[in-house]
Amino acid sequence: MKDGLLVKLCGMTNIEDIQLAARYGADYAGVVTEVDFSPRSLTIEQAETVFQLSPLPTVALVYNIAWDRLVYLVQKLQPHALQFLGPENPQLLSRCRDKFHQTELWQSIHLPAAEVNTSNTNISKTANIEAVQTPEQLNADRLTSNNISNNAGNSCYNGELLSPEEAYILKQVKQNMLECYQAGANVFLLDAATKINGKTRFGGTGKTVNWKLARKLIDASPLPVFLAGGINPANIAEAINKVHPSGIDLCSGVEALPGKKDPGKIKALMEGVKKAVI
Ligand SMILES: O=C(O)c1ccccc1NCC(=O)[C@H](O)[C@H](O)COP(=O)(O)O
């Protein structure tokens, strides 16, 4: 990875937007690939030209993709990195580590959206998953009130008081990050999971995460961590200064409409980055 604060602009659907991002100094272009719940998703076939022509290192974002299709994706698109949007899956990371030697493995780590009041009652209304059935959804499961209620009592981390719910999430997420690191992950991205229209969304939500938790996870992480979730030109400097990430990752905050970037917003964002890191 490069030195300095890194910028990944995500949800790219066309080469013009990636060229624009490169001109303004972004470091990575993220393309959501075969994710049916994203309005910005491209099929592998649609993404081919974008990956071939990209002036920036590309990150292919996937969710619950079949193994054969993933192998095909890597052969066809040859991304710089694969980013797994699904809940942490050390077995999958290990399998990819063994198979794809040239490809970095990036893992999204989901936290509740910041405006979610993490009291038991509200968590069950907003971040709880109504049908937690598969092992892949364990990440979402850890946000549920049942889990949290077993961990009552305030905890203190680095002198700062955390609510019982925050302390619970911190402990669980640190453990998951450790397992992913041991399985071969190269980068983590902290992003918001939130319910929109009754469905839990694992990214592209425009919602910020709990920055206090994010900072603590970054301080404890053995790997570089990007901060994602609801970052935009107006809050970028504060995000960098408060959270100290290795990089930032954003999508909707620099869009004119879903899937189309806004040059003015990208320019304003990159100016904010420069101001914050000087
Ligand atoms: O961008 C999407 O449409 C998307 C949908 C589902 C999962 C992930 C998605 N994007 C992944 C990203 O890396 C985004 O940059 C990240 O989630 C932050 O999005 P935003 O809050 O809109 O900046």
Side-chain angles (χ1 to χ4, degrees):
M1 297 230 335
K2 285 168 52 182
D3 286 340
L5 186 107
L6 299 166
V7 178
K8 168 177 164 249
L9 295 188
C10 203
M12 296 294 194
T13 60
N14 58 84
I15 193 65
E16 294 75 23
D17 282 355
I18 301 183
Q19 287 162 344
L20 190 69
R23 269 205 302 284
Y24 282 114
D27 299 286
Y28 297 98
V31 180
V32 182
T33 317
E34 309 217 325
V35 175
D36 56 9
F37 54 82
S38 167
R40 305 166 182 96
S41 182
L42 300 182
T43 62
I44 295 173
E45 292 72 20
Q46 288 169 333
E48 221 178 326
T49 324
V50 173
F51 277 74
Q52 272 167 8
L53 300 181
S54 174
L56 293 176
T58 47
V59 182
L61 287 82
V62 294
Y63 180 86
N64 254 353
I65 188 169
W67 177 252
D68 290 352
R69 196 73 184 149
L70 185 62
V71 172
Y72 175 71
L73 181 156
V74 173
Q75 280 166 358
K76 270 276 184 230
L77 305 182
Q78 299 186 1
H80 170 81
L82 281 172
Q83 180 179 338
F84 297 98
L85 295 168
E88 306 82 6
N89 185 342
Q91 290 76 22
L92 176 63
L93 288 168
S94 292
R95 197 173 180 193
C96 289
R97 186 69 303 138
D98 291 343
K99 175 89 182 163
F100 310 127
H101 300 137
Q102 310 299 323
T103 315
E104 288 194 6
L105 304 177
W106 295 18
Q107 176 66 54
S108 289
I109 304 281
H110 294 97
L111 299 174
E115 78 255 24
V116 173
N117 173 351
T118 50
S119 75
N120 290 352
T121 327
N122 279 344
I123 269 199
S124 64
K125 277 197 203 130
T126 54
N128 192 14
I129 313 305
E130 278 149 3
V132 179
Q133 295 139 338
T134 65
E136 290 75 31
Q137 290 189 312
L138 284 173
N139 187 47
D141 186 35
R142 71 165 181 254
L143 305 177
T144 65
S145 57
N146 283 346
N147 286 337
I148 288 164
S149 61
N150 293 331
N151 289 267
N154 284 336
S155 298
C156 201
Y157 281 80
N158 300 336
E160 207 177 343
L161 203 61
L162 296 180
S163 70
E165 295 79 18
E166 288 174 328
Y168 176 81
I169 293 169
L170 189 64
K171 191 168 163 227
Q172 295 294 307
V173 175
K174 272 186 179 175
Q175 180 58 33
N176 291 336
M177 287 167 77
L178 181 65
E179 287 165 15
C180 291
Y181 167 65
Q182 289 166 342
N186 302 106
V187 169
F188 292 122
L189 303 97
L190 299 177
D191 200 357
T194 195
K195 249 184 179 181
I196 297 177
N197 298 332
K199 283 197 166 174
T200 301
R201 297 289 180 198
F202 292 99
T205 63
K207 308 276 185 200
T208 52
V209 299
N210 178 327
W211 284 354
K212 183 167 62 164
L213 278 183
R215 173 71 187 268
K216 290 181 187 304
L217 289 166
I218 286 167
D219 288 348
S221 174
L223 293 175
V225 183
F226 281 62
L227 178 68
I231 297 174
N232 56 52
N235 66 10
I236 181 66
E238 192 189 353
I240 295 170
N241 292 333
K242 282 196 171 154
V243 184
H244 295 184
S246 304
I248 52 144
D249 169 15
L250 67 157
C251 179
S252 52
V254 286
E255 284 185 327
L257 62 152
K260 187 69 200 146
K261 298 293 184 242
D262 179 320
K265 290 182 185 172
I266 295 183
K267 182 168 183 275
L269 179 93
M270 297 310 287
E271 284 168 2
V273 169
K274 279 193 199 118
K275 274 189 209 139
V277 295
I278 282 168

